[in-house]
Amino acid sequence: MRTSIRRSQRLMALAAVAALTTGLLAGCAKDSDDGSSDSSGGNGSGKGKTTLTIGTFGVFGYKQAGLYDEYMKLHPDITIKENVTTRTDVYWPKVLTRLQAGSGTDDIEAIEIGNITEAVQTQADKFVDLGKEVDKSQWLDWKLAQATTKDGKLIGLGTDTGPMAICYRKDLFQKAGLPTDRTKLAEMWKGDWSKYVDVGKQYMKKAPKGTKFVDSASSVYNAAVGGASERYYDKDGNVVWDRSDGVKKAWDAAMSVATSDMSAKLKQFDPTWDQGFANATFASVACPAWMIGYIEQKSGDSGKGKWDVAAAPAASNWGGSFLGVPTATKHQKEAVALAKWLTAPEQQAKVFAKQASFPSTPSVYASLKPQADTTAYFSNAPLTQIFSDSAKTIPSQPLGPKDKPIDNAISDVGILQVEQKGKSPEQGWDAAKNEIKDVLGQ
């Protein structure tokens, strides 16, 4: 799910808006008006059983892959109840409120990548140290680092990641006179997102009527900044977004798109974006692993065999989450055991097979197998190889407590000012800067 997708927008954009509640005495039950829903694995609570609740957002795939049912069969004394909140902007503030109160949390709480640094820096004492419970070598180094405090406490176990590729329509590329071979295209834009923009300029010279090269400038920005070794914070925790080389390069690439005619100017995860997939109005999109299922769903039968996947210009990550166990849980031992099992390599592989959520445990990469229908949909592209090659080389980025709102300010304020309202890049940058000042309380 990006981090300003924000993992909750992964695979399907669940757009229900929920009201934030402060019902601290609700215990593990979720209020009916907060955008949450109970989706238990299937067993009733049962006399004498321990009910474990797991708070998630969007679609984690555990229920869909049958993992809850499998675990309950292995552990007849356990019942699992998943409490799903559709949006992270509702979910995370609610979790913070309950962590501070010391009650009302689920036995396991999911933490989105955009919130993990805030959890590490301000809430570490509210979570169990899971580093003592697991073999930490199972996870990618950069993924493990994101959930680890300075003194070595591991507050969350990595779930999926969002390694980057480029998804493109072969039929539209062919009509525009561009190569359709994924290897040739990867070579054309290898090394720099500005080269991807250059391919877009070529596309637009003979673009099929009514089509653009890319969905939005923001998608190019998010893909590019996701591969920077430094973006909004430096390794010492200082805010450096306005002088970060990674941000500058990503911004420049996005501005090249926003000020040209190559963008469909769609806001990602809005209904018009979904329609763009269905109507083939753009030829390519920055494509983290979780986007595969989304494209297949939104493009429908008309896109089968027309979409392909090529390596991205540079390794990049967009999305991913963690599972943490609050110290307030009354079932700490059982919750830790379930969190370990759900994030183990074998279970991550099962979720990948179901919905293409890419694991953060590299030991399973060689054996991952997408569904046959998905592989065929994307022209038999070697999906596992493309995404695993990216995942293994993604740089470890310093993250900060305001990473997500800073990212939102640049993508949803600054870039949109230029792309959709015709402002200059300088005006867009100033708009983002003013928004970020508010975020940082400056």
Side-chain angles (χ1 to χ4, degrees):
M1 287 104 215
R2 174 187 169 189
T3 67
S4 61
I5 134 152
R6 317 158 164 123
R7 171 105 175 33
S8 61
Q9 297 164 324
R10 193 177 63 169
L11 295 178
M12 58 182 65
L14 300 173
V17 179
L20 176 61
T21 77
T22 57
L24 299 178
L25 298 180
C28 294
K30 298 300 181 187
D31 302 303
S32 61
D33 63 348
D34 69 352
S36 304
S37 63
D38 286 350
S39 55
S40 65
N43 290 351
S45 59
K47 185 176 180 180
K49 290 189 175 184
T50 297
T51 297
L52 295 177
T53 59
I54 175 170
T56 66
F57 44 84
V59 182
F60 268 63
Y62 297 146
K63 181 183 179 184
Q64 291 77 2
L67 296 188
Y68 295 146
D69 285 335
E70 182 179 349
Y71 192 84
M72 288 188 289
K73 287 179 182 178
L74 293 171
H75 302 84
D77 58 332
I78 297 292
T79 293
I80 301 170
K81 183 160 61 175
E82 183 183 61
N83 294 315
V84 184
T85 302
T86 57
R87 293 172 54 121
T88 56
D89 57 353
V90 172
Y91 170 83
W92 184 242
K94 180 174 55 182
V95 172
L96 286 177
T97 299
R98 292 171 174 171
L99 287 171
Q100 290 300 318
S103 65
T105 61
D106 286 297
D107 298 301
I108 297 173
E109 294 284 7
I111 309 169
E112 200 255 356
I113 189 173
N115 302 122
I116 188 62
T117 301
E118 181 178 15
V120 165
Q121 293 185 0
T122 69
Q123 305 298 321
D125 62 328
K126 305 294 194 304
F127 286 97
V128 175
D129 183 0
L130 298 171
K132 301 174 182 179
E133 306 288 344
V134 297
D135 175 7
K136 292 191 285 187
S137 67
Q138 292 179 103
W139 285 272
L140 293 160
D141 290 344
W142 60 265
K143 183 74 173 181
L144 193 71
Q146 290 174 340
T148 303
T149 65
K150 288 184 177 181
D151 60 357
K153 182 178 180 179
L154 180 65
I155 70 162
L157 303 180
T159 59
D160 64 318
T161 61
M164 190 64 62
I166 297 294
C167 292
Y168 64 99
R169 294 273 308 215
K170 293 190 301 181
D171 55 334
L172 298 183
F173 270 49
Q174 184 176 33
K175 291 177 181 179
L178 289 173
T180 59
D181 179 78
R182 66 182 73 94
T183 303
K184 290 182 179 179
L185 288 170
E187 284 297 321
M188 287 175 67
W189 55 54
K190 182 178 181 180
D192 196 319
W193 286 91
S194 65
K195 294 181 180 178
Y196 172 67
V197 175
D198 289 341
V199 174
K201 294 176 181 177
Q202 294 182 47
Y203 177 89
M204 294 309 300
K205 290 178 181 179
K206 297 182 180 179
K209 186 178 180 180
T211 72
K212 301 295 183 181
F213 177 65
V214 69
D215 61 325
S216 69
S218 290
S219 73
V220 175
Y221 174 82
N222 289 322
V225 82
S229 58
E230 181 181 276
R231 52 179 190 174
Y232 307 136
Y233 289 80
D234 64 19
K235 60 182 178 59
D236 297 319
N238 301 307
V239 178
V240 296
W241 75 273
D242 55 348
R243 55 185 185 275
S244 162
D245 186 59
V247 171
K248 183 180 185 304
K249 288 182 177 179
W251 176 266
D252 288 347
M255 289 301 99
S256 293
V257 173
T259 57
S260 71
D261 63 347
M262 73 176 71
S263 172
K265 301 182 179 181
L266 300 173
K267 187 175 181 180
Q268 291 192 321
F269 305 102
D270 275 1
T272 53
W273 190 59
D274 294 347
Q275 294 165 10
F277 283 112
N279 299 328
T281 56
F282 51 87
S284 69
V285 61
C287 191
W290 49 260
M291 186 84 78
I292 292 295
Y294 194 93
I295 292 173
E296 190 173 358
Q297 180 193 36
K298 298 304 180 182
S299 292
D301 292 341
S302 64
K304 185 175 182 179
K306 295 178 181 177
W307 282 98
D308 207 329
V309 183
S316 174
N317 183 72
W318 181 3
S321 297
F322 304 81
L323 296 184
V325 177
T327 55
T329 175
K330 296 179 180 179
H331 309 296
Q332 188 173 122
K333 180 180 178 181
E334 294 86 352
V336 168
L338 176 57
K340 287 171 57 178
W341 189 84
L342 289 172
T343 58
E346 296 81 3
Q347 277 59 258
Q348 293 206 31
K350 293 171 186 175
V351 176
F352 173 82
K354 180 64 179 177
Q355 64 176 43
S357 299
F358 204 79
S360 57
T361 50
S363 64
V364 297
Y365 288 172
S367 61
L368 291 179
K369 293 183 179 180
Q371 292 184 358
D373 289 347
T374 298
T375 302
Y377 195 94
F378 288 91
S379 305
N380 297 313
L383 300 177
T384 300
Q385 179 183 342
I386 291 171
F387 288 120
S388 62
D389 286 349
S390 175
K392 292 175 183 177
T393 55
I394 293 168
S396 181
Q397 292 181 332
L399 300 179
K402 299 297 183 181
D403 248 81
K404 190 168 183 176
I406 292 174
D407 187 76
N408 289 347
I410 295 174
S411 296
D412 298 342
V413 177
I415 294 175
L416 287 185
Q417 288 284 325
V418 180
E419 185 171 54
Q420 296 190 4
K421 297 185 179 181
K423 303 294 185 180
S424 69
E426 293 75 18
Q427 289 173 316
W429 184 262
D430 287 342
K433 181 182 290 187
N434 289 334
E435 183 75 11
I436 292 170
K437 285 182 178 179
D438 289 341
V439 166
L440 299 177
Q442 297 177 343

